[in-house]
Amino acid sequence: MAEASKVIHVRNVGPEISENDLLELFQPFGGITKLVLLRAKNQALLQMQDVPSAINAVQFYTNAQPTIRGRNVYVQFSSHQELTMMDQNAQGRGFQALIQYDGQQNAISARTSLKGRNIYDGCCQLDIQFSNLDELQVHYNNDRSRDFTNPNLPTEQKGRSSQQPGYGDAGAGFLQMANAAAITEAFGGGLPPGISGTNDRCTVLVANLNPDRIDKDKLFNLFSLYGNIVRIKLLRNKPDHALVQMGDGFQAELAVHFLKRARLFGKRLDVNFSKHPHITQGADAHEYVKSNLNRFQRNAAKNFRYCCSPTKMIHLSSLPQDVTEEEIVNHFEEHDADNKRELTVIVLTATLWSIPVSTRTPYSVAPV
């Protein structure tokens, strides 16, 4: 066993384990002053308030196997006597960046040398992946972007503060969240597995739709579970295809990740990023940018917590106090005519119900 230390090393920390889970495991032994999750290695480092607290915790869990969310975790002293880290308020926000080298080999060398290394002693471990972008388009030299080959770029667009970036042609009402830093706390301090947070393509191509039953509003109801909708366009020459423009690249990535291969009206959806950066305004494009049904205009972090793949369970809220189970069942049976499945209504509270149905599409359900 390593020399006793205030710092405890925890292994087998799976993606389902949050910071709060670790805090609950070790708080009975004393105060915890620092906590670092090393997601890339499924490990964590905790610093107790003093060495005796750490000794008590390690000794206890040496004799009693600790389990978090059904997963065995393993506890030992760290080789670090102290964790040096950034301000706690900045911890776990998932800051990310895109860097373009002048050649592919330089990018490979940088990734090989730096992947898994820490920026600071014991924390801020680098997770480096190759981007699917061929080239970066940098328009401003400021604290958010910089083109080192062109020092003459402006610091910001005229008439727009660099602290409040806009969304292109989407207009007011949308926050640009392409770096996803502001909402990673909604996912427990880190993005869900498979989500990079670096995508900047806002438009999604949806294929294999059921053209007899789909329309723009039904697509809006489905895709608005993962972000704000700017425009939707059904393709005339391909009636089973549609374009959906999300509020930003991060929201589009969530939609692609969670809806790919989802079943809708008897067909498996094929959802991918479109080659088109945005949907051009026109008669075929339906505008949603000013719709008050876009639920991510406010309480965005709260709504991101609900992002998941479609299931057979729907959660309804803000129902009238006098609504009956029969009324709810009758309403949803209208949308389950093909399957004729029995619907079950469970009363959770006076205003919250859960209903298993064949798809999760909330046809006439207002956003929470």
Side-chain angles (χ1 to χ4, degrees):
M1 180 179 294
E3 179 185 354
S5 164
K6 290 190 295 185
V7 182
I8 295 175
H9 180 208
V10 187
R11 295 181 290 114
N12 201 34
V13 179
E16 74 278 10
I17 296 177
S18 67
E19 291 183 2
N20 287 335
D21 294 327
L22 291 167
L23 292 175
E24 291 178 3
L25 191 68
F26 289 95
Q27 279 176 340
F29 302 96
I32 299 172
T33 60
K34 296 174 184 177
L35 169 61
V36 179
L37 276 174
L38 307 176
R39 289 294 187 189
K41 293 185 175 182
N42 286 347
Q43 299 175 10
L45 294 171
L46 299 96
Q47 181 172 314
M48 307 295 292
Q49 63 183 1
D50 52 41
V51 174
S53 299
I55 292 175
N56 290 337
V58 172
Q59 288 180 344
F60 181 85
Y61 289 126
T62 299
N63 299 319
Q65 174 64 58
T67 302
I68 303 177
R69 299 184 182 272
R71 177 189 288 262
N72 289 339
V73 296
Y74 304 96
V75 176
Q76 64 188 45
F77 291 117
S78 169
S79 58
H80 298 280
Q81 292 297 314
E82 191 94 14
L83 288 181
T84 303
M85 55 195 303
M86 297 174 64
D87 178 18
Q88 285 284 322
N89 292 327
Q91 179 186 336
R93 292 186 182 175
F95 290 106
Q96 300 175 8
L98 291 170
I99 300 174
Q100 179 179 339
Y101 283 89
D102 59 357
Q104 185 182 52
Q105 190 56 49
N106 289 335
I108 294 174
S109 298
R111 181 179 184 271
T112 302
S113 300
L114 297 176
K115 184 176 174 62
R117 301 286 295 273
N118 293 337
I119 298 177
Y120 300 94
D121 184 23
C123 74
C124 299
Q125 186 182 52
L126 294 173
D127 181 17
I128 303 174
Q129 305 293 338
F130 293 116
S131 171
N132 53 16
L133 299 176
D134 294 324
E135 183 119 3
L136 292 182
Q137 300 296 324
V138 176
H139 303 289
Y140 313 107
N141 284 337
N142 53 34
D143 59 346
R144 297 179 60 85
S145 65
R146 186 166 298 276
D147 186 341
F148 293 94
T149 67
N150 187 0
N152 298 319
L153 288 175
T155 58
E156 62 184 55
Q157 185 173 345
K158 185 177 181 181
R160 174 180 295 166
S161 169
S162 62
Q163 297 300 317
Q164 295 180 330
Y167 173 73
D169 69 341
F174 287 108
L175 297 176
Q176 186 178 16
M177 293 178 287
N179 66 351
I183 46 77
T184 50
E185 291 182 4
F187 298 104
L191 298 177
I195 300 293
S196 70
T198 60
N199 172 64
D200 64 352
R201 290 173 291 177
C202 302
T203 305
V204 171
L205 176 65
V206 191
N208 203 36
L209 293 165
N210 187 331
D212 297 326
R213 300 189 61 183
I214 200 64
D215 58 39
K216 298 183 182 74
D217 289 337
K218 289 174 182 176
L219 281 174
F220 171 86
N221 285 344
L222 180 60
F223 278 81
S224 66
L225 295 170
Y226 306 100
N228 292 322
I229 307 299
V230 179
R231 296 184 190 96
I232 293 178
K233 180 179 181 178
L234 297 177
L235 304 186
R236 288 183 179 180
N237 58 338
K238 294 182 179 180
D240 64 338
H241 284 59
L243 292 173
V244 179
Q245 183 177 342
M246 307 292 291
D248 62 37
F250 179 73
Q251 297 173 29
E253 187 177 18
L254 289 175
V256 171
H257 178 77
F258 288 120
L259 289 178
K260 182 169 286 189
R261 304 296 297 161
R263 192 171 183 82
L264 179 63
F265 298 131
K267 289 181 172 290
R268 293 282 184 187
L269 297 181
D270 186 9
V271 185
N272 287 292
F273 298 109
S274 171
K275 63 182 180 180
H276 302 286
H278 61 270
I279 299 175
T280 304
Q281 291 177 306
D284 294 339
H286 193 86
E287 297 285 332
Y288 291 97
V289 67
K290 296 182 180 179
S291 172
N292 58 9
L293 294 179
N294 271 315
R295 65 194 71 187
F296 289 81
Q297 291 179 348
R298 53 193 177 275
N299 297 326
K302 173 185 175 183
N303 287 311
F304 278 117
R305 286 201 300 269
Y306 301 140
C307 291
C308 65
S309 297
T311 70
K312 294 182 179 180
M313 185 74 68
I314 287 179
H315 294 276
L316 304 182
S317 65
S318 302
L319 293 170
Q321 293 285 348
D322 58 350
V323 72
T324 65
E325 294 183 17
E326 183 180 6
E327 289 173 329
I328 296 176
V329 170
N330 290 340
H331 174 75
F332 279 92
E333 280 183 339
E334 296 175 9
H335 307 290
D336 198 44
D338 293 341
N339 295 319
K340 300 291 184 182
R341 296 184 181 180
E342 180 181 355
L343 301 182
T344 302
V345 177
I346 304 174
V347 179
L348 298 183
T349 69
T351 58
L352 182 62
W353 308 67
S354 295
I355 307 172
V357 293
S358 59
T359 73
R360 194 184 176 195
T361 313
Y363 303 94
S364 59
V365 180
V368 177

